Amino acid sequence: MEWIRSCIILQLTVLGPDWSSGAKIVSLWIPELIKNGSVEGAVLDCVYNYTDIEKDSLEVKWYFRHDPTPIYQWLPPNPPQILSSSFADHIVPEFEIGDDPFTKYRALNLHTVDTSLSGQYSCRVSSNLQDSYRSKQMIIYAEPREVDFLVNKGSPPSDTNLNHLRWVNLTCAVYQTYPQPTAAIKRTTEWGTIQDLSRWSSKVVTWFNGSYHLKSSILLPIAQKEDLIGAPYLLQSDLLHCEVTLENTAYKRVISRSLPKVLGIKDKRDGSVSRGSSSMAPAFLLYIVYISCIVYLHIL
């Protein structure tokens, strides 16, 4: 019996109790989407459990994006530390949640929120017995300061055999936005279908002063219905679109341009309406004269 008791004591000493209920992150509360300038601050909370035996070895650390160096750490009962100079002006020092001395400094209270704080945040809670880690994205987006859609007459490229056709240069430009936008140039055909021209468009993306700038452009010929062109083309009656979106947000803006209106091209559909209106004018006047005569004779 004494031998069995010694084995049990040895097992408890070496293996310890079941630590599956030890330091473990229960939930990670991080705002998923914030419009730049809409709020002054945001609280990121890392809720976790721990056991009494872990109190002397608890560590709470926050990481930003994929940097292995933490931006914030707390080793109870010591005060928390802001380790990143980039976050020194954004993290409220010693922000408390609750009264538990081993969880009250677990959260980040960010103020002066802007797009530079957008990205993945990770919380790590560890002890001598257990390690728990979770990550979540927080996107802080800025709508474009300006979106422009330019439709101008262009010159045929040097390597084309379609010099007899008129050419048009389409440019969809987006300025000062975050995250990186997409700008798609599309056309609505006379059959009502929409063709996305992004596949043939050239794109230039630049990063300046914390914002993205993008230009998407394409040079296309204006063909006739009887022309057989394998490459992308436009018809005189097309309606053109510049469609701008921001990934993982609901932002979407569409600017449309009428090809005939922009370039002064005579639209056959508009022409038929105009001719119809002018041909109706004499008949309408004759009808007025006829009615007037009937009324006059009736009075007599």
Side-chain angles (χ1 to χ4, degrees):
M1 290 293 295
E2 189 67 28
W3 178 79
I4 297 176
R5 182 180 177 185
S6 301
C7 287
I8 294 176
I9 294 174
L10 179 62
Q11 183 180 20
L12 289 175
T13 303
V14 176
L15 301 179
D18 181 11
W19 303 118
S20 60
S21 60
K24 184 178 181 180
I25 297 175
V26 178
S27 58
L28 188 64
W29 298 95
I30 295 178
E32 294 183 1
L33 195 63
I34 298 176
K35 182 179 178 181
N36 192 41
S38 63
V39 297
E40 294 183 358
V43 174
L44 286 60
D45 195 6
C46 183
V47 183
Y48 58 88
N49 292 328
Y50 67 93
T51 59
D52 288 342
I53 199 171
E54 296 172 291
K55 289 181 178 180
D56 293 335
S57 61
L58 271 179
E59 293 185 0
V60 180
K61 296 180 181 180
W62 281 91
Y63 300 85
F64 183 53
R65 296 177 180 167
H66 300 289
D67 190 344
T69 303
I71 61 173
Y72 173 95
Q73 76 173 10
W74 176 41
L75 284 61
N78 300 312
Q81 298 172 291
I82 302 172
L83 303 179
S84 171
S85 58
S86 300
F87 280 83
D89 295 329
H90 294 289
I91 297 179
V92 177
E94 299 191 25
F95 171 73
E96 297 185 16
I97 287 187
D99 299 325
D100 189 329
F102 294 94
T103 63
K104 65 179 181 179
Y105 293 130
R106 67 177 188 255
L108 294 183
N109 185 4
L110 302 179
H111 66 93
T112 320
V113 174
D114 57 36
T115 57
S116 68
L117 302 183
S118 184
Q120 177 177 283
Y121 287 83
S122 303
C123 175
R124 182 174 187 175
V125 179
S126 59
S127 69
N128 289 337
L129 303 174
Q130 201 145 297
D131 194 350
S132 185
Y133 189 90
R134 284 198 189 183
S135 301
K136 195 173 181 182
Q137 286 278 348
M138 181 174 72
I139 298 175
I140 304 172
Y141 71 98
E143 295 184 355
R145 180 70 60 86
E146 182 182 355
V147 177
D148 201 3
F149 188 26
L150 304 176
V151 182
N152 299 314
K153 295 180 181 179
S155 300
S158 57
D159 59 346
T160 184
N161 58 354
L162 301 174
N163 293 309
H164 62 288
L165 299 178
R166 286 171 294 182
W167 289 73
V168 178
N169 190 19
L170 312 177
T171 301
C172 182
V174 187
Y175 302 98
Q176 289 184 267
T177 188
Y178 189 91
Q180 182 174 326
T182 58
I185 298 177
K186 302 181 179 181
R187 62 183 282 255
T188 300
T189 69
E190 60 179 4
W191 301 284
T193 58
I194 296 179
Q195 180 186 20
D196 191 342
L197 301 171
S198 300
R199 173 183 170 186
W200 300 277
S201 302
S202 61
K203 294 182 175 62
V204 177
V205 181
T206 57
W207 172 261
F208 180 71
N209 282 346
S211 299
Y212 283 102
H213 307 260
L214 181 147
K215 283 189 178 181
S216 179
S217 58
I218 187 171
L219 181 65
L220 294 173
I222 301 175
Q224 302 296 328
K225 292 181 181 178
E226 58 272 16
D227 292 329
L228 297 177
I229 303 177
Y233 61 88
L234 300 176
L235 294 177
Q236 291 187 9
S237 57
D238 283 350
L239 184 63
L240 308 174
H241 314 281
C242 165
E243 182 179 294
V244 178
T245 57
L246 297 178
E247 187 179 2
N248 297 321
T249 75
Y251 177 83
K252 180 179 179 179
R253 183 177 177 185
V254 179
I255 299 178
S256 300
R257 297 276 188 266
S258 169
L259 185 57
K261 184 177 181 180
V262 171
L263 300 180
I265 302 173
K266 187 176 181 180
D267 191 336
K268 293 181 178 180
R269 293 176 299 177
D270 291 341
S272 63
V273 173
S274 298
R275 288 194 297 272
S277 299
S278 60
S279 63
M280 285 293 291
F284 180 73
L285 292 175
L286 183 61
Y287 176 75
I288 295 297
V289 172
Y290 173 73
I291 294 297
S292 300
C293 290
I294 292 178
V295 173
Y296 177 75
L297 291 175
H298 180 73
I299 292 176
L300 293 178

Short mmCIF file of all heavy atoms in Angstrom, two decimals, residues 59-107:
data_model
loop_
_atom_site.label_atom_id
_atom_site.label_comp_id
_atom_site.label_asym_id
_atom_site.label_seq_id
_atom_site.Cartn_x
_atom_site.Cartn_y
_atom_site.Cartn_z
N GLU A 59 1.21 35.76 -18.42
CA GLU A 59 1.71 36.80 -19.33
C GLU A 59 0.64 37.08 -20.40
O GLU A 59 0.10 36.14 -20.98
CB GLU A 59 3.01 36.36 -20.02
CG GLU A 59 4.19 36.22 -19.08
CD GLU A 59 5.48 35.90 -19.84
OE1 GLU A 59 5.41 35.79 -21.09
OE2 GLU A 59 6.52 35.74 -19.20
N VAL A 60 0.39 38.36 -20.62
CA VAL A 60 -0.57 38.77 -21.66
C VAL A 60 0.18 39.66 -22.65
O VAL A 60 0.77 40.68 -22.25
CB VAL A 60 -1.78 39.52 -21.05
CG1 VAL A 60 -2.75 39.94 -22.16
CG2 VAL A 60 -2.48 38.67 -20.02
N LYS A 61 0.14 39.28 -23.91
CA LYS A 61 0.86 40.05 -24.93
C LYS A 61 -0.03 40.28 -26.15
O LYS A 61 -0.80 39.40 -26.54
CB LYS A 61 2.14 39.32 -25.35
CG LYS A 61 3.16 39.18 -24.23
CD LYS A 61 4.42 38.46 -24.70
CE LYS A 61 5.43 38.31 -23.57
NZ LYS A 61 6.66 37.62 -23.99
N TRP A 62 0.12 41.47 -26.74
CA TRP A 62 -0.59 41.80 -27.98
C TRP A 62 0.42 42.02 -29.09
O TRP A 62 1.47 42.65 -28.89
CB TRP A 62 -1.42 43.07 -27.79
CG TRP A 62 -2.72 42.88 -27.07
CD1 TRP A 62 -2.94 42.97 -25.73
CD2 TRP A 62 -3.99 42.57 -27.67
NE1 TRP A 62 -4.26 42.75 -25.44
CE2 TRP A 62 -4.94 42.50 -26.62
CE3 TRP A 62 -4.43 42.34 -28.97
CZ2 TRP A 62 -6.28 42.22 -26.84
CZ3 TRP A 62 -5.76 42.07 -29.20
CH2 TRP A 62 -6.68 42.00 -28.15
N TYR A 63 0.06 41.51 -30.29
CA TYR A 63 0.92 41.65 -31.47
C TYR A 63 0.13 42.34 -32.59
O TYR A 63 -1.10 42.22 -32.65
CB TYR A 63 1.40 40.29 -31.96
CG TYR A 63 2.21 39.51 -30.94
CD1 TYR A 63 1.58 38.73 -29.98
CD2 TYR A 63 3.59 39.55 -30.95
CE1 TYR A 63 2.31 38.02 -29.04
CE2 TYR A 63 4.35 38.84 -30.02
CZ TYR A 63 3.69 38.08 -29.06
OH TYR A 63 4.42 37.37 -28.14
N PHE A 64 0.85 43.03 -33.46
CA PHE A 64 0.22 43.73 -34.58
C PHE A 64 0.76 43.18 -35.90
O PHE A 64 1.98 43.10 -36.09
CB PHE A 64 0.49 45.23 -34.47
CG PHE A 64 -0.16 46.06 -35.54
CD1 PHE A 64 -1.52 45.96 -35.78
CD2 PHE A 64 0.58 46.94 -36.31
CE1 PHE A 64 -2.13 46.74 -36.77
CE2 PHE A 64 -0.02 47.72 -37.29
CZ PHE A 64 -1.38 47.62 -37.52
N ARG A 65 -0.19 42.83 -36.76
CA ARG A 65 0.15 42.24 -38.06
C ARG A 65 1.03 41.01 -37.84
O ARG A 65 0.70 40.15 -37.04
CB ARG A 65 0.77 43.28 -38.98
CG ARG A 65 -0.24 44.41 -39.33
CD ARG A 65 0.35 45.50 -40.18
NE ARG A 65 -0.68 46.53 -40.45
CZ ARG A 65 -0.45 47.73 -40.95
NH1 ARG A 65 0.79 48.08 -41.26
NH2 ARG A 65 -1.44 48.59 -41.16
N HIS A 66 2.16 40.93 -38.52
CA HIS A 66 2.99 39.72 -38.41
C HIS A 66 4.33 39.99 -37.73
O HIS A 66 5.27 39.22 -37.88
CB HIS A 66 3.22 39.14 -39.81
CG HIS A 66 1.95 38.76 -40.52
ND1 HIS A 66 1.17 37.68 -40.14
CD2 HIS A 66 1.30 39.34 -41.56
CE1 HIS A 66 0.12 37.60 -40.92
NE2 HIS A 66 0.17 38.59 -41.79
N ASP A 67 4.36 41.06 -36.96
CA ASP A 67 5.59 41.39 -36.23
C ASP A 67 5.71 40.46 -35.02
O ASP A 67 4.80 40.41 -34.18
CB ASP A 67 5.54 42.85 -35.79
CG ASP A 67 6.88 43.35 -35.24
OD1 ASP A 67 7.74 42.50 -34.92
OD2 ASP A 67 7.05 44.57 -35.14
N PRO A 68 6.82 39.73 -34.89
CA PRO A 68 6.98 38.82 -33.75
C PRO A 68 7.21 39.54 -32.42
O PRO A 68 7.14 38.92 -31.36
CB PRO A 68 8.20 37.98 -34.13
CG PRO A 68 9.00 38.86 -35.06
CD PRO A 68 7.98 39.66 -35.82
N THR A 69 7.52 40.84 -32.48
CA THR A 69 7.73 41.62 -31.25
C THR A 69 6.39 42.19 -30.78
O THR A 69 5.69 42.86 -31.56
CB THR A 69 8.72 42.77 -31.49
OG1 THR A 69 9.95 42.26 -31.98
CG2 THR A 69 8.96 43.55 -30.20
N PRO A 70 6.01 41.97 -29.54
CA PRO A 70 4.72 42.47 -29.07
C PRO A 70 4.69 43.99 -28.98
O PRO A 70 5.72 44.64 -28.77
CB PRO A 70 4.56 41.83 -27.67
CG PRO A 70 5.96 41.52 -27.25
CD PRO A 70 6.72 41.20 -28.50
N ILE A 71 3.50 44.55 -29.18
CA ILE A 71 3.31 45.99 -29.03
C ILE A 71 2.92 46.35 -27.59
O ILE A 71 3.06 47.50 -27.17
CB ILE A 71 2.23 46.52 -30.01
CG1 ILE A 71 0.88 45.84 -29.71
CG2 ILE A 71 2.65 46.28 -31.45
CD1 ILE A 71 -0.29 46.42 -30.50
N TYR A 72 2.47 45.34 -26.84
CA TYR A 72 1.97 45.57 -25.48
C TYR A 72 2.13 44.27 -24.70
O TYR A 72 1.90 43.18 -25.23
CB TYR A 72 0.50 45.98 -25.57
CG TYR A 72 -0.26 46.10 -24.26
CD1 TYR A 72 -0.39 47.34 -23.62
CD2 TYR A 72 -0.88 45.00 -23.69
CE1 TYR A 72 -1.11 47.46 -22.44
CE2 TYR A 72 -1.60 45.11 -22.50
CZ TYR A 72 -1.71 46.34 -21.88
OH TYR A 72 -2.42 46.47 -20.71
N GLN A 73 2.53 44.40 -23.44
CA GLN A 73 2.60 43.21 -22.60
C GLN A 73 2.26 43.55 -21.15
O GLN A 73 2.50 44.67 -20.69
CB GLN A 73 3.97 42.54 -22.68
CG GLN A 73 5.08 43.22 -21.92
CD GLN A 73 6.37 42.40 -21.91
OE1 GLN A 73 6.51 41.40 -22.61
NE2 GLN A 73 7.33 42.84 -21.10
N TRP A 74 1.73 42.56 -20.49
CA TRP A 74 1.38 42.71 -19.07
C TRP A 74 1.75 41.43 -18.35
O TRP A 74 1.30 40.35 -18.71
CB TRP A 74 -0.11 43.00 -18.93
CG TRP A 74 -0.57 43.08 -17.50
CD1 TRP A 74 0.10 43.68 -16.45
CD2 TRP A 74 -1.77 42.56 -16.96
NE1 TRP A 74 -0.62 43.56 -15.28
CE2 TRP A 74 -1.79 42.87 -15.56
CE3 TRP A 74 -2.85 41.86 -17.48
CZ2 TRP A 74 -2.82 42.50 -14.72
CZ3 TRP A 74 -3.89 41.49 -16.64
CH2 TRP A 74 -3.87 41.81 -15.27
N LEU A 75 2.58 41.56 -17.33
CA LEU A 75 3.00 40.45 -16.48
C LEU A 75 2.51 40.73 -15.05
O LEU A 75 3.18 41.44 -14.28
CB LEU A 75 4.52 40.28 -16.47
CG LEU A 75 5.19 39.63 -17.69
CD1 LEU A 75 4.94 40.43 -18.96
CD2 LEU A 75 6.68 39.48 -17.44
N PRO A 76 1.29 40.28 -14.72
CA PRO A 76 0.76 40.56 -13.38
C PRO A 76 1.73 40.06 -12.30
O PRO A 76 2.39 39.03 -12.50
CB PRO A 76 -0.56 39.78 -13.34
CG PRO A 76 -0.89 39.50 -14.78
CD PRO A 76 0.41 39.41 -15.50
N PRO A 77 1.83 40.78 -11.18
CA PRO A 77 1.06 41.97 -10.78
C PRO A 77 1.72 43.29 -11.20
O PRO A 77 1.32 44.35 -10.72
CB PRO A 77 1.03 41.84 -9.26
CG PRO A 77 2.36 41.22 -8.94
CD PRO A 77 2.66 40.27 -10.08
N ASN A 78 2.70 43.25 -12.10
CA ASN A 78 3.37 44.46 -12.55
C ASN A 78 2.44 45.29 -13.45
O ASN A 78 1.51 44.75 -14.06
CB ASN A 78 4.65 44.11 -13.31
CG ASN A 78 5.63 43.32 -12.46
OD1 ASN A 78 5.92 43.68 -11.32
ND2 ASN A 78 6.12 42.21 -13.00
N PRO A 79 2.69 46.57 -13.57
CA PRO A 79 1.88 47.38 -14.47
C PRO A 79 2.14 47.00 -15.94
O PRO A 79 3.22 46.49 -16.27
CB PRO A 79 2.33 48.82 -14.18
CG PRO A 79 3.69 48.67 -13.59
CD PRO A 79 3.69 47.38 -12.84
N PRO A 80 1.18 47.24 -16.83
CA PRO A 80 1.37 46.90 -18.25
C PRO A 80 2.39 47.82 -18.91
O PRO A 80 2.66 48.92 -18.43
CB PRO A 80 -0.03 47.09 -18.85
CG PRO A 80 -0.69 48.08 -17.94
CD PRO A 80 -0.15 47.82 -16.58
N GLN A 81 2.93 47.35 -20.05
CA GLN A 81 3.95 48.11 -20.78
C GLN A 81 3.56 48.25 -22.25
O GLN A 81 3.12 47.29 -22.88
CB GLN A 81 5.31 47.39 -20.70
CG GLN A 81 5.86 47.24 -19.31
CD GLN A 81 7.11 46.35 -19.31
OE1 GLN A 81 7.02 45.15 -19.55
NE2 GLN A 81 8.26 46.95 -19.06
N ILE A 82 3.74 49.46 -22.78
CA ILE A 82 3.58 49.70 -24.22
C ILE A 82 4.96 49.58 -24.84
O ILE A 82 5.84 50.41 -24.59
CB ILE A 82 2.96 51.08 -24.49
CG1 ILE A 82 1.59 51.20 -23.79
CG2 ILE A 82 2.81 51.32 -25.99
CD1 ILE A 82 1.00 52.59 -23.86
N LEU A 83 5.19 48.56 -25.65
CA LEU A 83 6.52 48.27 -26.16
C LEU A 83 6.79 48.86 -27.54
O LEU A 83 7.96 48.95 -27.94
CB LEU A 83 6.72 46.75 -26.23
CG LEU A 83 6.52 45.99 -24.91
CD1 LEU A 83 6.71 44.50 -25.13
CD2 LEU A 83 7.46 46.52 -23.84
N SER A 84 5.76 49.24 -28.25
CA SER A 84 5.94 49.75 -29.61
C SER A 84 5.85 51.27 -29.62
O SER A 84 4.87 51.85 -29.14
CB SER A 84 4.88 49.16 -30.55
OG SER A 84 4.91 49.79 -31.80
N SER A 85 6.85 51.90 -30.20
CA SER A 85 6.81 53.37 -30.31
C SER A 85 5.71 53.83 -31.26
O SER A 85 5.17 54.93 -31.11
CB SER A 85 8.17 53.88 -30.81
OG SER A 85 8.50 53.30 -32.07
N SER A 86 5.33 52.96 -32.21
CA SER A 86 4.27 53.32 -33.15
C SER A 86 2.92 53.40 -32.46
O SER A 86 2.00 54.08 -32.95
CB SER A 86 4.21 52.29 -34.29
OG SER A 86 5.43 52.24 -34.99
N PHE A 87 2.77 52.69 -31.35
CA PHE A 87 1.50 52.68 -30.62
C PHE A 87 1.53 53.55 -29.37
O PHE A 87 0.53 53.60 -28.64
CB PHE A 87 1.12 51.25 -30.24
CG PHE A 87 0.49 50.48 -31.37
CD1 PHE A 87 1.28 49.86 -32.32
CD2 PHE A 87 -0.88 50.37 -31.46
CE1 PHE A 87 0.71 49.14 -33.36
CE2 PHE A 87 -1.47 49.65 -32.50
CZ PHE A 87 -0.67 49.04 -33.45
N ALA A 88 2.63 54.22 -29.12
CA ALA A 88 2.74 55.03 -27.90
C ALA A 88 1.68 56.11 -27.83
O ALA A 88 1.21 56.46 -26.74
CB ALA A 88 4.14 55.64 -27.82
N ASP A 89 1.30 56.65 -28.99
CA ASP A 89 0.30 57.71 -29.02
C ASP A 89 -1.10 57.18 -29.28
O ASP A 89 -2.04 57.98 -29.44
CB ASP A 89 0.66 58.73 -30.11
CG ASP A 89 1.96 59.47 -29.81
OD1 ASP A 89 2.26 59.65 -28.62
OD2 ASP A 89 2.67 59.84 -30.77
N HIS A 90 -1.26 55.86 -29.32
CA HIS A 90 -2.57 55.28 -29.64
C HIS A 90 -3.14 54.41 -28.53
O HIS A 90 -4.35 54.23 -28.46
CB HIS A 90 -2.49 54.46 -30.93
CG HIS A 90 -2.20 55.26 -32.16
ND1 HIS A 90 -3.13 56.13 -32.72
CD2 HIS A 90 -1.10 55.34 -32.94
CE1 HIS A 90 -2.60 56.69 -33.80
NE2 HIS A 90 -1.38 56.23 -33.95
N ILE A 91 -2.29 53.85 -27.67
CA ILE A 91 -2.77 52.99 -26.59
C ILE A 91 -2.93 53.79 -25.31
O ILE A 91 -2.00 54.46 -24.86
CB ILE A 91 -1.80 51.81 -26.35
CG1 ILE A 91 -1.72 50.92 -27.59
CG2 ILE A 91 -2.24 50.99 -25.14
CD1 ILE A 91 -0.76 49.75 -27.43
N VAL A 92 -4.13 53.71 -24.72
CA VAL A 92 -4.38 54.37 -23.43
C VAL A 92 -3.67 53.57 -22.35
O VAL A 92 -3.98 52.39 -22.14
CB VAL A 92 -5.89 54.45 -23.14
CG1 VAL A 92 -6.13 55.08 -21.76
CG2 VAL A 92 -6.60 55.24 -24.22
N PRO A 93 -2.71 54.16 -21.64
CA PRO A 93 -1.94 53.39 -20.64
C PRO A 93 -2.80 52.99 -19.45
O PRO A 93 -3.65 53.75 -18.99
CB PRO A 93 -0.83 54.37 -20.23
CG PRO A 93 -1.37 55.72 -20.55
CD PRO A 93 -2.26 55.56 -21.75
N GLU A 94 -2.56 51.76 -18.97
CA GLU A 94 -3.20 51.21 -17.78
C GLU A 94 -4.73 51.31 -17.85
O GLU A 94 -5.41 51.64 -16.88
CB GLU A 94 -2.67 51.89 -16.52
CG GLU A 94 -1.17 51.69 -16.35
CD GLU A 94 -0.66 52.13 -14.99
OE1 GLU A 94 -1.44 52.14 -14.04
OE2 GLU A 94 0.55 52.42 -14.89
N PHE A 95 -5.28 51.02 -19.01
CA PHE A 95 -6.74 50.94 -19.17
C PHE A 95 -7.23 49.67 -18.51
O PHE A 95 -6.70 48.58 -18.74
CB PHE A 95 -7.10 50.95 -20.66
CG PHE A 95 -8.54 50.66 -20.94
CD1 PHE A 95 -9.52 51.61 -20.66
CD2 PHE A 95 -8.93 49.44 -21.47
CE1 PHE A 95 -10.86 51.34 -20.92
CE2 PHE A 95 -10.26 49.16 -21.73
CZ PHE A 95 -11.23 50.12 -21.45
N GLU A 96 -8.25 49.78 -17.66
CA GLU A 96 -8.73 48.65 -16.88
C GLU A 96 -10.10 48.18 -17.34
O GLU A 96 -10.96 48.97 -17.73
CB GLU A 96 -8.82 49.03 -15.39
CG GLU A 96 -7.49 49.37 -14.76
CD GLU A 96 -7.62 49.63 -13.26
OE1 GLU A 96 -8.66 49.24 -12.68
OE2 GLU A 96 -6.70 50.22 -12.66
N ILE A 97 -10.28 46.84 -17.28
CA ILE A 97 -11.58 46.21 -17.48
C ILE A 97 -11.82 45.28 -16.29
O ILE A 97 -11.10 44.28 -16.11
CB ILE A 97 -11.64 45.41 -18.80
CG1 ILE A 97 -11.70 46.36 -20.00
CG2 ILE A 97 -12.85 44.50 -18.83
CD1 ILE A 97 -11.92 45.66 -21.33
N GLY A 98 -12.80 45.60 -15.45
CA GLY A 98 -13.11 44.77 -14.29
C GLY A 98 -12.15 45.00 -13.14
O GLY A 98 -11.23 45.83 -13.19
N ASP A 99 -12.36 44.22 -12.07
CA ASP A 99 -11.59 44.37 -10.84
C ASP A 99 -10.61 43.24 -10.59
O ASP A 99 -9.82 43.31 -9.63
CB ASP A 99 -12.56 44.46 -9.64
CG ASP A 99 -13.48 45.66 -9.75
OD1 ASP A 99 -13.03 46.71 -10.26
OD2 ASP A 99 -14.66 45.54 -9.33
N ASP A 100 -10.64 42.21 -11.40
CA ASP A 100 -9.75 41.07 -11.18
C ASP A 100 -8.31 41.52 -11.43
O ASP A 100 -7.96 41.96 -12.53
CB ASP A 100 -10.12 39.94 -12.14
CG ASP A 100 -9.38 38.64 -11.83
OD1 ASP A 100 -8.24 38.71 -11.33
OD2 ASP A 100 -9.93 37.56 -12.10
N PRO A 101 -7.45 41.42 -10.42
CA PRO A 101 -6.07 41.91 -10.58
C PRO A 101 -5.25 41.11 -11.60
O PRO A 101 -4.16 41.53 -11.98
CB PRO A 101 -5.48 41.76 -9.17
CG PRO A 101 -6.31 40.72 -8.51
CD PRO A 101 -7.69 40.88 -9.07
N PHE A 102 -5.78 39.96 -12.06
CA PHE A 102 -5.04 39.15 -13.02
C PHE A 102 -5.67 39.17 -14.42
O PHE A 102 -5.25 38.43 -15.30
CB PHE A 102 -4.92 37.71 -12.52
CG PHE A 102 -4.09 37.59 -11.28
CD1 PHE A 102 -4.68 37.62 -10.02
CD2 PHE A 102 -2.71 37.48 -11.36
CE1 PHE A 102 -3.91 37.52 -8.87
CE2 PHE A 102 -1.93 37.39 -10.22
CZ PHE A 102 -2.53 37.41 -8.97
N THR A 103 -6.67 40.03 -14.61
CA THR A 103 -7.27 40.18 -15.96
C THR A 103 -7.57 41.64 -16.31
O THR A 103 -7.90 41.93 -17.46
CB THR A 103 -8.59 39.38 -16.07
OG1 THR A 103 -9.56 39.91 -15.14
CG2 THR A 103 -8.37 37.90 -15.80
N LYS A 104 -7.46 42.56 -15.36
CA LYS A 104 -7.96 43.91 -15.58
C LYS A 104 -7.19 44.71 -16.65
O LYS A 104 -7.73 45.65 -17.23
CB LYS A 104 -7.98 44.70 -14.27
CG LYS A 104 -6.62 44.95 -13.64
CD LYS A 104 -6.78 45.75 -12.35
CE LYS A 104 -5.44 46.06 -11.70
NZ LYS A 104 -5.61 46.86 -10.45
N TYR A 105 -5.96 44.34 -16.94
CA TYR A 105 -5.18 45.06 -17.96
C TYR A 105 -5.05 44.26 -19.27
O TYR A 105 -4.11 44.44 -20.03
CB TYR A 105 -3.79 45.38 -17.43
CG TYR A 105 -3.77 46.38 -16.30
CD1 TYR A 105 -3.06 46.11 -15.12
CD2 TYR A 105 -4.44 47.60 -16.41
CE1 TYR A 105 -3.03 47.03 -14.08
CE2 TYR A 105 -4.42 48.51 -15.36
CZ TYR A 105 -3.72 48.22 -14.21
OH TYR A 105 -3.70 49.14 -13.17
N ARG A 106 -5.99 43.38 -19.49
CA ARG A 106 -5.91 42.48 -20.65
C ARG A 106 -6.24 43.17 -21.98
O ARG A 106 -5.84 42.70 -23.05
CB ARG A 106 -6.86 41.31 -20.46
CG ARG A 106 -8.33 41.73 -20.50
CD ARG A 106 -9.27 40.55 -20.38
NE ARG A 106 -10.66 40.93 -20.59
CZ ARG A 106 -11.56 41.04 -19.64
NH1 ARG A 106 -11.21 40.79 -18.37
NH2 ARG A 106 -12.81 41.39 -19.92
N ALA A 107 -6.98 44.28 -21.96
CA ALA A 107 -7.52 44.88 -23.19
C ALA A 107 -6.67 46.05 -23.67
O ALA A 107 -5.94 46.69 -22.90
CB ALA A 107 -8.96 45.34 -22.96
#
